[in-house]
Amino acid sequence: MRSFLDITDLDVGELELVLDLARRPVADLGRPLDGQGAALIFQKPSNRTRHSAEMAVVHLGGHPVYTRGDEVGFDERESVEDVARIMSGYHGLLAARVFGHSIVERLAAAASVPVVNLLSDRSHPLQALADALTMIEEFGSLTGRTVAYVGDYNNVARSLAEACLMLGASVRLGCPNGYGASDEELERLTLLGAGSVVQVPFAAEAVAGADAVHTDTWVSMGQEAEKTERRRVFESFTVDAHLMSGAASQAIFMHCMPAYRGFEVTGEVMDGPASRAIRQGHNRLHSARGLFAFLLGVR
């Protein structure tokens, strides 16, 4: 029984297999959840994650059960471990979108069915699968490509960097001082693949010649008290047409959404011809379906 809490829970071959399953027609995956439920626990609300996860379960023949965080009350109404053990008796799959990564770790340790991290403060691995799938559709392969990420080194950036490096791309992180990856984190990433990882404090330096340019909101859920300060610090990191002009001639723009036009990205870029953000969002469904199928034994 396998769980998926981080991209690095897969080896390179397994990551490639999940992405291959994501590209297969639904009919080719069978119905590994036939007659079973899937518990989808959301401490943090979501648009793309909820819809993509629910429909992925439906495509695999299962019944999704959406559950709000306050309905289970981790460590308030009952322990994380009790939730995991009880839900394992009802469902063939358990997935959770949480604030603290330790919650999904505890769920996985106690559950007797696969557990999927739908998002935590440490990582957003399902998003990274959709990102990789979108870029592979665009370029055929990530081997030898350069992927830039502009903004805060957060859960999205971490999982994106892991996936890209494992698939043979080089990664450039453009992060303001104090908001980037630590030296230890950069060293860990360097060991994941053949591609290099470089961190710079200027957006233009990160984007120069890149094949894909990614960004994310500057103020994630739970950081609202920091909004004014973060917008000041990240002001020069807006992805606009001028910044994109420094990327490769056929570069694409990507955003995990929700997007705040006029802050981390301009409307001209977000809604322009280089943007793949909507396809990226649609690929959340396909990547979730591929991952769930893999965890349920489809090969």
Side-chain angles (χ1 to χ4, degrees):
M1 191 271 294
R2 295 283 298 275
S3 287
F4 179 73
L5 309 185
D6 290 288
I7 287 291
T8 51
D9 287 339
L10 305 174
D11 62 29
V12 173
E14 290 170 335
L15 176 55
E16 292 174 338
L17 174 57
V18 166
L19 294 171
D20 175 66
L21 291 170
R23 294 192 294 273
R24 293 186 197 175
V26 174
D28 290 356
L29 300 177
R31 294 174 62 84
L33 277 172
D34 190 29
Q36 299 183 77
L40 308 176
I41 305 172
F42 281 70
Q43 273 193 323
K44 302 177 74 171
S46 174
N47 174 13
R48 280 153 297 281
T49 301
R50 177 178 180 178
H51 284 267
S52 60
E54 287 197 10
M55 290 310 302
V57 170
V58 171
H59 287 177
L60 297 176
H63 178 77
V65 179
Y66 174 83
T67 305
R68 299 191 315 271
D70 60 356
E71 292 178 292
V72 293
F74 288 136
D75 292 333
E76 293 177 359
R77 294 188 68 248
E78 55 187 319
S79 71
V80 172
E81 288 73 19
D82 282 353
V83 172
R85 288 189 285 258
I86 286 293
M87 288 194 171
S88 293
Y90 301 150
H91 302 288
L93 181 80
L94 198 165
R97 179 178 167 95
V98 301
F99 285 97
H101 192 77
S102 63
I103 298 293
V104 288
E105 291 178 323
R106 291 167 62 192
L107 286 170
S112 56
V113 297
V115 172
V116 175
N117 177 11
L118 297 176
L119 174 140
S120 69
D121 59 348
R122 188 172 87 180
S123 57
H124 199 351
L126 270 179
Q127 179 64 55
L129 292 179
D131 297 346
L133 179 60
T134 305
M135 290 186 288
I136 289 170
E137 287 176 343
E138 190 76 24
F139 303 125
S141 168
L142 284 182
T143 301
R145 296 289 179 174
T146 297
V147 177
Y149 176 89
V150 176
D152 187 12
Y153 186 75
N154 57 13
N155 50 0
V156 170
R158 183 179 190 270
S159 295
L160 172 67
E162 290 175 342
C164 289
L165 289 163
M166 289 174 67
L167 294 170
S170 292
V171 174
R172 291 207 211 107
L173 303 170
C175 308
N177 290 324
Y179 292 86
S182 66
D183 291 341
E184 293 76 16
E185 175 70 354
L186 292 171
E187 183 176 353
R188 182 189 71 83
L189 292 173
T190 298
L191 300 176
L192 292 180
S196 62
V197 56
V198 175
Q199 182 168 270
V200 295
F202 303 105
E205 189 175 350
V207 167
D211 298 292
V213 178
H214 292 247
T215 193
D216 187 16
T217 178
W218 298 336
V219 185
S220 296
M221 199 177 301
Q223 297 175 333
E224 288 81 4
E226 306 172 34
K227 180 183 291 187
T228 300
E229 175 64 11
R230 281 178 165 268
R231 286 183 171 176
R232 182 191 66 79
V233 170
F234 287 92
E235 186 176 10
S236 63
F237 285 77
T238 301
V239 180
D240 56 18
H242 177 70
L243 185 65
M244 285 296 297
S245 70
S249 59
Q250 299 301 312
I252 60 173
F253 170 77
M254 300 182 67
H255 194 306
C256 64
M257 302 179 77
Y260 299 94
R261 292 161 177 82
F263 293 98
E264 75 272 8
V265 61
T266 61
E268 181 182 16
V269 172
M270 182 67 189
D271 305 311
S275 178
R276 299 296 182 271
I278 300 301
R279 188 203 302 176
Q280 185 184 358
H282 291 164
N283 279 337
R284 290 290 305 276
L285 166 60
H286 307 309
S287 57
R289 186 177 63 237
L291 174 74
F292 295 172
F294 170 81
L295 294 175
L296 295 164
V298 177
R299 296 294 184 267

